[in-house]
mmCIF file of all heavy atoms in Angstrom:
data_model
loop_
_atom_site.group_PDB
_atom_site.id
_atom_site.type_symbol
_atom_site.label_atom_id
_atom_site.label_comp_id
_atom_site.label_asym_id
_atom_site.label_seq_id
_atom_site.Cartn_x
_atom_site.Cartn_y
_atom_site.Cartn_z
ATOM 1 N N MET A 472 -223.499 -20.503 135.257
ATOM 2 C CA MET A 472 -222.828 -20.139 134.120
ATOM 3 C C MET A 472 -221.392 -20.914 134.060
ATOM 4 O O MET A 472 -220.673 -20.873 134.881
ATOM 5 C CB MET A 472 -222.667 -18.713 133.743
ATOM 6 C CG MET A 472 -222.025 -18.289 132.487
ATOM 7 S SD MET A 472 -222.005 -16.472 132.197
ATOM 8 C CE MET A 472 -220.858 -15.897 133.454
ATOM 9 N N GLN A 473 -221.078 -21.500 132.833
ATOM 10 C CA GLN A 473 -219.739 -22.118 132.646
ATOM 11 C C GLN A 473 -219.247 -21.824 131.314
ATOM 12 O O GLN A 473 -219.922 -21.855 130.243
ATOM 13 C CB GLN A 473 -219.823 -23.671 132.809
ATOM 14 C CG GLN A 473 -220.372 -24.129 134.185
ATOM 15 C CD GLN A 473 -220.113 -25.671 134.372
ATOM 16 O OE1 GLN A 473 -219.018 -26.131 134.214
ATOM 17 N NE2 GLN A 473 -221.192 -26.307 134.683
ATOM 18 N N ILE A 477 -224.778 -19.968 129.707
ATOM 19 C CA ILE A 477 -225.873 -20.365 130.759
ATOM 20 C C ILE A 477 -226.991 -21.151 130.044
ATOM 21 O O ILE A 477 -227.413 -20.815 129.070
ATOM 22 C CB ILE A 477 -226.429 -19.092 131.454
ATOM 23 C CG1 ILE A 477 -227.378 -19.474 132.497
ATOM 24 C CG2 ILE A 477 -227.092 -18.043 130.393
ATOM 25 C CD1 ILE A 477 -227.901 -18.416 133.382
ATOM 26 N N ASN A 506 -233.985 -29.089 135.715
ATOM 27 C CA ASN A 506 -232.769 -29.054 136.643
ATOM 28 C C ASN A 506 -232.009 -30.296 136.394
ATOM 29 O O ASN A 506 -230.617 -30.177 136.374
ATOM 30 C CB ASN A 506 -233.223 -29.167 138.129
ATOM 31 C CG ASN A 506 -232.184 -29.057 139.096
ATOM 32 O OD1 ASN A 506 -231.566 -28.103 139.216
ATOM 33 N ND2 ASN A 506 -231.816 -30.216 139.904
ATOM 34 N N GLY A 509 -229.570 -29.875 133.701
ATOM 35 C CA GLY A 509 -228.522 -28.761 133.896
ATOM 36 C C GLY A 509 -228.900 -27.291 133.655
ATOM 37 O O GLY A 509 -228.078 -26.419 133.705
ATOM 38 N N ALA A 510 -230.229 -27.141 133.480
ATOM 39 C CA ALA A 510 -230.649 -25.661 133.207
ATOM 40 C C ALA A 510 -230.572 -24.786 134.482
ATOM 41 O O ALA A 510 -230.873 -25.379 135.585
ATOM 42 C CB ALA A 510 -232.080 -25.723 132.674
ATOM 43 N N GLU A 511 -230.190 -23.640 134.304
ATOM 44 C CA GLU A 511 -230.099 -22.704 135.575
ATOM 45 C C GLU A 511 -231.341 -21.900 135.649
ATOM 46 O O GLU A 511 -231.615 -21.372 136.667
ATOM 47 C CB GLU A 511 -228.890 -21.909 135.390
ATOM 48 C CG GLU A 511 -227.591 -22.674 135.397
ATOM 49 C CD GLU A 511 -226.304 -21.812 135.269
ATOM 50 O OE1 GLU A 511 -226.277 -20.805 136.137
ATOM 51 O OE2 GLU A 511 -225.589 -21.948 134.448
ATOM 52 N N ILE A 512 -232.109 -21.703 134.559
ATOM 53 C CA ILE A 512 -233.310 -20.944 134.538
ATOM 54 C C ILE A 512 -234.350 -21.744 133.659
ATOM 55 O O ILE A 512 -234.065 -22.237 132.739
ATOM 56 C CB ILE A 512 -233.126 -19.537 133.913
ATOM 57 C CG1 ILE A 512 -232.114 -18.710 134.685
ATOM 58 C CG2 ILE A 512 -234.414 -18.717 133.942
ATOM 59 C CD1 ILE A 512 -231.693 -17.490 134.042
ATOM 60 N N LYS A 550 -237.332 -26.801 147.055
ATOM 61 C CA LYS A 550 -236.481 -26.071 147.884
ATOM 62 C C LYS A 550 -235.027 -26.691 147.886
ATOM 63 O O LYS A 550 -234.076 -25.966 148.285
ATOM 64 C CB LYS A 550 -236.926 -25.901 149.369
ATOM 65 C CG LYS A 550 -237.027 -27.288 150.092
ATOM 66 C CD LYS A 550 -237.577 -27.042 151.483
ATOM 67 C CE LYS A 550 -237.799 -28.196 152.226
ATOM 68 N NZ LYS A 550 -238.448 -27.949 153.582
ATOM 69 N N THR A 551 -234.822 -27.889 147.412
ATOM 70 C CA THR A 551 -233.453 -28.500 147.334
ATOM 71 C C THR A 551 -232.855 -28.323 145.943
ATOM 72 O O THR A 551 -231.708 -28.720 145.761
ATOM 73 C CB THR A 551 -233.542 -29.894 147.613
ATOM 74 O OG1 THR A 551 -234.280 -30.631 146.634
ATOM 75 C CG2 THR A 551 -234.118 -30.193 149.039
ATOM 76 N N LEU A 552 -233.532 -27.590 144.968
ATOM 77 C CA LEU A 552 -233.011 -27.474 143.626
ATOM 78 C C LEU A 552 -232.330 -26.020 143.392
ATOM 79 O O LEU A 552 -232.882 -25.059 143.896
ATOM 80 C CB LEU A 552 -234.213 -27.603 142.634
ATOM 81 C CG LEU A 552 -234.981 -28.975 142.796
ATOM 82 C CD1 LEU A 552 -236.121 -28.915 141.733
ATOM 83 C CD2 LEU A 552 -234.060 -30.168 142.653
ATOM 84 N N ASP A 553 -231.230 -26.093 142.632
ATOM 85 C CA ASP A 553 -230.519 -24.869 142.439
ATOM 86 C C ASP A 553 -231.228 -24.036 141.342
ATOM 87 O O ASP A 553 -230.997 -22.772 141.142
ATOM 88 C CB ASP A 553 -229.184 -25.289 141.960
ATOM 89 C CG ASP A 553 -228.263 -25.612 143.235
ATOM 90 O OD1 ASP A 553 -228.423 -25.243 144.314
ATOM 91 O OD2 ASP A 553 -227.327 -26.626 142.848
ATOM 92 N N ILE A 554 -232.051 -24.616 140.438
ATOM 93 C CA ILE A 554 -232.648 -23.963 139.255
ATOM 94 C C ILE A 554 -233.456 -22.843 139.807
ATOM 95 O O ILE A 554 -234.236 -22.894 140.619
ATOM 96 C CB ILE A 554 -233.430 -24.974 138.384
ATOM 97 C CG1 ILE A 554 -233.737 -24.334 137.040
ATOM 98 C CG2 ILE A 554 -234.612 -25.564 139.142
ATOM 99 C CD1 ILE A 554 -234.262 -25.550 136.205
ATOM 100 N N ILE A 555 -233.463 -21.813 138.897
ATOM 101 C CA ILE A 555 -234.501 -20.632 139.130
ATOM 102 C C ILE A 555 -235.673 -20.923 138.208
ATOM 103 O O ILE A 555 -235.467 -21.064 136.938
ATOM 104 C CB ILE A 555 -233.686 -19.403 138.769
ATOM 105 C CG1 ILE A 555 -232.520 -19.101 139.627
ATOM 106 C CG2 ILE A 555 -234.824 -18.171 138.817
ATOM 107 C CD1 ILE A 555 -231.688 -17.997 139.042
ATOM 108 N N GLN A 576 -236.368 -19.665 143.618
ATOM 109 C CA GLN A 576 -235.221 -20.587 143.800
ATOM 110 C C GLN A 576 -235.008 -21.175 145.168
ATOM 111 O O GLN A 576 -235.022 -20.472 146.120
ATOM 112 C CB GLN A 576 -233.877 -19.854 143.274
ATOM 113 C CG GLN A 576 -232.705 -20.820 143.234
ATOM 114 C CD GLN A 576 -231.406 -20.065 143.332
ATOM 115 O OE1 GLN A 576 -231.280 -18.948 143.894
ATOM 116 N NE2 GLN A 576 -230.370 -20.560 142.635
ATOM 117 N N ARG A 577 -234.853 -22.519 145.202
ATOM 118 C CA ARG A 577 -234.609 -23.057 146.383
ATOM 119 C C ARG A 577 -235.492 -22.691 147.562
ATOM 120 O O ARG A 577 -235.099 -22.503 148.738
ATOM 121 C CB ARG A 577 -233.055 -22.936 146.862
ATOM 122 C CG ARG A 577 -232.319 -24.157 146.841
ATOM 123 C CD ARG A 577 -231.016 -23.883 147.519
ATOM 124 N NE ARG A 577 -230.008 -23.552 146.638
ATOM 125 C CZ ARG A 577 -228.829 -22.826 146.933
ATOM 126 N NH1 ARG A 577 -228.868 -22.391 148.256
ATOM 127 N NH2 ARG A 577 -227.958 -22.510 146.084
ATOM 128 N N LEU A 581 -237.709 -14.890 144.693
ATOM 129 C CA LEU A 581 -236.781 -13.788 144.420
ATOM 130 C C LEU A 581 -237.402 -12.455 144.140
ATOM 131 O O LEU A 581 -236.853 -11.321 144.388
ATOM 132 C CB LEU A 581 -235.806 -14.300 143.343
ATOM 133 C CG LEU A 581 -234.986 -15.483 143.541
ATOM 134 C CD1 LEU A 581 -234.146 -15.855 142.380
ATOM 135 C CD2 LEU A 581 -234.085 -15.239 144.795
ATOM 136 N N VAL A 629 -230.282 -11.503 139.319
ATOM 137 C CA VAL A 629 -228.916 -11.825 139.133
ATOM 138 C C VAL A 629 -228.391 -13.159 139.747
ATOM 139 O O VAL A 629 -228.754 -13.458 140.876
ATOM 140 C CB VAL A 629 -227.935 -10.641 139.821
ATOM 141 C CG1 VAL A 629 -226.638 -10.898 139.423
ATOM 142 C CG2 VAL A 629 -228.386 -9.391 139.489
ATOM 143 N N THR A 630 -227.893 -13.993 138.812
ATOM 144 C CA THR A 630 -227.482 -15.318 139.237
ATOM 145 C C THR A 630 -226.136 -15.290 140.149
ATOM 146 O O THR A 630 -225.624 -14.078 140.013
ATOM 147 C CB THR A 630 -227.253 -16.246 138.164
ATOM 148 O OG1 THR A 630 -226.103 -15.912 137.332
ATOM 149 C CG2 THR A 630 -228.521 -16.251 137.260
ATOM 150 N N ALA A 631 -225.856 -16.234 140.672
ATOM 151 C CA ALA A 631 -224.574 -16.159 141.518
ATOM 152 C C ALA A 631 -223.276 -15.970 140.568
ATOM 153 O O ALA A 631 -222.460 -15.341 141.170
ATOM 154 C CB ALA A 631 -224.471 -17.644 142.270
ATOM 155 N N ASP A 632 -223.448 -16.295 139.364
ATOM 156 C CA ASP A 632 -222.307 -15.984 138.468
ATOM 157 C C ASP A 632 -222.391 -14.603 137.787
ATOM 158 O O ASP A 632 -221.588 -14.360 136.932
ATOM 159 C CB ASP A 632 -222.292 -17.101 137.323
ATOM 160 C CG ASP A 632 -221.840 -18.409 137.818
ATOM 161 O OD1 ASP A 632 -220.978 -18.440 138.700
ATOM 162 O OD2 ASP A 632 -222.454 -19.393 137.388
ATOM 163 N N GLY A 633 -223.423 -13.886 138.131
ATOM 164 C CA GLY A 633 -223.512 -12.490 137.699
ATOM 165 C C GLY A 633 -224.311 -12.325 136.437
ATOM 166 O O GLY A 633 -224.381 -11.326 135.766
ATOM 167 N N VAL A 634 -224.988 -13.438 135.849
ATOM 168 C CA VAL A 634 -225.832 -13.367 134.736
ATOM 169 C C VAL A 634 -227.061 -12.688 135.222
ATOM 170 O O VAL A 634 -227.804 -13.037 136.231
ATOM 171 C CB VAL A 634 -226.189 -14.706 134.122
ATOM 172 C CG1 VAL A 634 -227.137 -14.518 132.983
ATOM 173 C CG2 VAL A 634 -224.977 -15.427 133.812
ATOM 174 N N THR A 767 -230.820 -10.819 143.887
ATOM 175 C CA THR A 767 -229.726 -11.788 143.733
ATOM 176 C C THR A 767 -230.123 -13.126 144.068
ATOM 177 O O THR A 767 -230.681 -13.429 145.159
ATOM 178 C CB THR A 767 -228.647 -11.268 144.674
ATOM 179 O OG1 THR A 767 -228.196 -9.983 144.247
ATOM 180 C CG2 THR A 767 -227.312 -12.202 144.422
ATOM 181 N N ALA A 768 -229.776 -14.151 143.209
ATOM 182 C CA ALA A 768 -230.053 -15.438 143.456
ATOM 183 C C ALA A 768 -229.019 -16.147 144.303
ATOM 184 O O ALA A 768 -227.955 -15.480 144.563
ATOM 185 C CB ALA A 768 -230.195 -16.369 142.113
ATOM 186 N N GLN A 769 -229.213 -17.354 144.743
ATOM 187 C CA GLN A 769 -228.366 -18.131 145.623
ATOM 188 C C GLN A 769 -227.336 -18.789 144.696
ATOM 189 O O GLN A 769 -227.680 -19.160 143.626
ATOM 190 C CB GLN A 769 -229.069 -19.049 146.560
ATOM 191 C CG GLN A 769 -230.043 -18.212 147.467
ATOM 192 C CD GLN A 769 -230.764 -19.160 148.299
ATOM 193 O OE1 GLN A 769 -230.136 -19.695 149.293
ATOM 194 N NE2 GLN A 769 -232.056 -19.273 148.119
ATOM 195 N N ALA A 770 -226.118 -19.056 145.257
ATOM 196 C CA ALA A 770 -225.164 -19.823 144.560
ATOM 197 C C ALA A 770 -225.561 -21.310 144.679
ATOM 198 O O ALA A 770 -226.231 -21.716 145.582
ATOM 199 C CB ALA A 770 -223.845 -19.691 145.329
ATOM 200 N N PRO A 771 -225.233 -22.078 143.467
ATOM 201 C CA PRO A 771 -225.704 -23.498 143.490
ATOM 202 C C PRO A 771 -225.006 -24.257 144.492
ATOM 203 O O PRO A 771 -223.875 -23.963 144.960
ATOM 204 C CB PRO A 771 -225.283 -23.876 142.023
ATOM 205 C CG PRO A 771 -224.206 -22.897 141.624
ATOM 206 C CD PRO A 771 -224.510 -21.618 142.396
ATOM 207 N N LEU A 772 -225.706 -25.375 145.079
ATOM 208 C CA LEU A 772 -225.161 -26.113 145.994
ATOM 209 C C LEU A 772 -224.264 -27.253 145.426
ATOM 210 O O LEU A 772 -223.380 -27.807 146.002
ATOM 211 C CB LEU A 772 -226.332 -26.773 146.890
ATOM 212 C CG LEU A 772 -226.972 -25.765 147.794
ATOM 213 C CD1 LEU A 772 -228.193 -26.558 148.448
ATOM 214 C CD2 LEU A 772 -226.169 -25.143 148.849
ATOM 215 N N THR A 773 -224.584 -27.552 144.156
ATOM 216 C CA THR A 773 -223.858 -28.620 143.469
ATOM 217 C C THR A 773 -223.357 -28.165 142.173
ATOM 218 O O THR A 773 -223.889 -27.253 141.478
ATOM 219 C CB THR A 773 -224.804 -29.817 143.202
ATOM 220 O OG1 THR A 773 -225.907 -29.344 142.360
ATOM 221 C CG2 THR A 773 -225.355 -30.424 144.474
ATOM 222 N N ASN A 774 -222.080 -28.671 141.827
ATOM 223 C CA ASN A 774 -221.581 -28.401 140.461
ATOM 224 C C ASN A 774 -221.940 -29.428 139.465
ATOM 225 O O ASN A 774 -221.556 -30.595 139.710
ATOM 226 C CB ASN A 774 -219.966 -28.241 140.718
ATOM 227 C CG ASN A 774 -219.560 -27.156 141.451
ATOM 228 O OD1 ASN A 774 -220.144 -25.996 141.378
ATOM 229 N ND2 ASN A 774 -218.479 -27.324 142.315
ATOM 230 N N LYS A 775 -222.571 -29.049 138.406
ATOM 231 C CA LYS A 775 -222.992 -29.981 137.441
ATOM 232 C C LYS A 775 -222.057 -29.973 136.161
ATOM 233 O O LYS A 775 -221.439 -29.001 135.932
ATOM 234 C CB LYS A 775 -224.464 -29.567 136.916
ATOM 235 C CG LYS A 775 -225.472 -29.521 137.969
ATOM 236 C CD LYS A 775 -226.818 -29.018 137.544
ATOM 237 C CE LYS A 775 -227.893 -28.981 138.634
ATOM 238 N NZ LYS A 775 -229.088 -28.320 138.080
ATOM 239 N N PRO A 776 -221.830 -31.204 135.709
ATOM 240 C CA PRO A 776 -220.890 -31.364 134.611
ATOM 241 C C PRO A 776 -221.322 -30.502 133.472
ATOM 242 O O PRO A 776 -222.609 -30.263 133.102
ATOM 243 C CB PRO A 776 -221.004 -32.761 134.196
ATOM 244 C CG PRO A 776 -222.295 -33.392 134.880
ATOM 245 C CD PRO A 776 -222.487 -32.458 136.041
#
Side-chain angles (χ1 to χ4, degrees):
M472 179 174 69
Q473 297 189 58
I477 183 169
N506 185 70
E511 297 182 52
I512 304 170
K550 65 183 180 181
T551 61
L552 305 181
D553 290 326
I554 193 170
I555 301 170
Q576 178 200 34
R577 243 193 268 153
L581 300 177
V629 188
T630 71
D632 290 322
V634 178
T767 303
Q769 301 178 68
L772 295 175
T773 58
N774 292 321
K775 298 175 182 177

